[in-house]
Amino acid sequence: MGFRSSSTRGPERPTSVGKRTRPWRLVPVQVSGRGKCLNVQGAGNVNGTQVIQYTCGNADNELWKFVPKGIGYQIVVKSSNKCLNVAGGVGVGYNIIQYDCTSQGVANDVWLPVWEPNSL
């Protein structure tokens, strides 16, 4: 499944200005070509809660931040601070869930940016 941020700007890293830190920018993540956004079903906060496509909004279970990990990003939801994760590992046909983020990032919780033209 291809993802793109509904923001026109890329992910921002926190920066320190004096003694204050600018927080991560939270954005809805629109599912390419569907007109829907990623949503943690029922605003659940436990591991294994399914992530679904839902009408885009600004609730905490629909706002995500991109955390750099190696060559990709962990995608973290505001409502539970858990990562977007492929249940059971990587591959076709697995459900997308939220799960505790790993400190170094693993194959099923690190996402690579992919360019997908709007014509798809």
Side-chain angles (χ1 to χ4, degrees):
M1 165 178 348
F3 296 106
R4 67 182 171 93
S5 170
S6 61
S7 169
T8 57
R9 295 169 44 188
E12 295 180 12
R13 296 177 187 230
T15 58
S16 295
V17 179
K19 294 183 180 181
R20 297 186 334 188
T21 300
R22 184 175 67 189
W24 288 93
R25 182 169 182 203
L26 297 168
V27 296
V29 177
Q30 189 174 43
V31 180
S32 181
R34 303 273 186 228
K36 303 280 184 177
C37 288
L38 294 181
N39 176 294
V40 177
Q41 190 170 29
N45 60 8
V46 298
N47 285 337
T49 302
Q50 191 166 352
V51 175
I52 60 172
Q53 298 176 36
Y54 197 76
T55 303
C56 298
N58 286 310
D60 287 352
N61 65 319
E62 301 168 331
L63 296 176
W64 304 81
K65 65 182 175 182
F66 290 73
V67 180
K69 291 288 176 181
I71 62 169
Y73 296 92
Q74 286 180 320
I75 304 175
V76 182
V77 67
K78 182 179 181 183
S79 60
S80 64
N81 208 37
K82 294 185 184 291
C83 278
L84 188 67
N85 183 289
V86 180
V90 296
V92 176
Y94 290 110
N95 287 329
I96 305 298
I97 60 171
Q98 70 173 3
Y99 206 84
D100 291 332
C101 299
T102 60
S103 61
Q104 296 302 313
V106 293
N108 64 332
D109 78 356
V110 173
W111 300 84
L112 303 176
V114 176
W115 173 259
E116 291 188 3
N118 288 335
S119 62
L120 292 178

